[in-house]
Amino acid sequence: MKKSTRINLLLLLAVAALAVLPLVLGLGDHKEEPFTGADGEAETAITELDPDYEPWFSPLYEPPSGEIESALFSLQAAIGAGVLAYYFGLRRGRRQGEQRALARRDATPGGTDEPGV
């Protein structure tokens, strides 16, 4: 097995462990909502410390339900993943194109791009 394949498998295993271990170990079972986001945790901590706290800003858009909020967050993550995948694919395609051009130049007599010159 190649070194890069082994590293990729180890990284994949680490990601799977990070996703599954909190569920298996029961982390968060003592909470009412075990896997809330950082915003919810911060809001809870602030209201515990200072019950009279007034936020400085309010959201521009408040989704009507938690499901819609989750869907919008998932859409945002999918768009970000698509942009990253496009960027990395473009870079790889350009690199492969440059390698092909260099190989074609080296294969022609005289080292020019035009065959037979």
Side-chain angles (χ1 to χ4, degrees):
M1 184 181 320
K2 292 187 339 185
K3 184 177 181 179
S4 62
T5 304
R6 190 174 322 132
I7 290 173
N8 287 338
L9 287 174
L10 286 173
L11 288 173
L12 186 62
L13 182 65
V15 168
L18 285 173
V20 172
L21 281 177
L23 298 172
V24 171
L25 297 176
L27 301 177
D29 283 347
H30 62 284
K31 298 180 183 179
E32 185 178 322
E33 294 183 38
F35 298 107
T36 59
D39 293 343
E41 293 286 329
E43 184 179 348
T44 303
I46 290 170
T47 53
E48 286 176 3
L49 293 173
D50 185 10
D52 298 328
Y53 177 76
E54 290 290 325
W56 293 0
F57 301 101
S58 61
L60 295 175
Y61 172 70
E62 189 85 30
S65 70
E67 291 83 12
I68 294 175
E69 187 175 356
S70 293
L72 291 173
F73 182 75
S74 298
L75 178 65
Q76 178 185 358
I79 290 171
V83 168
L84 283 175
Y86 174 78
Y87 172 74
F88 288 123
L90 185 68
R91 281 191 51 175
R92 182 175 180 171
R94 284 184 179 170
R95 187 174 57 241
Q96 287 177 347
E98 288 173 359
Q99 289 173 349
R100 287 185 192 133
L102 288 174
R104 200 174 19 232
R105 186 188 71 192
D106 293 341
T108 59
T112 62
D113 287 334
E114 299 175 19
V117 175

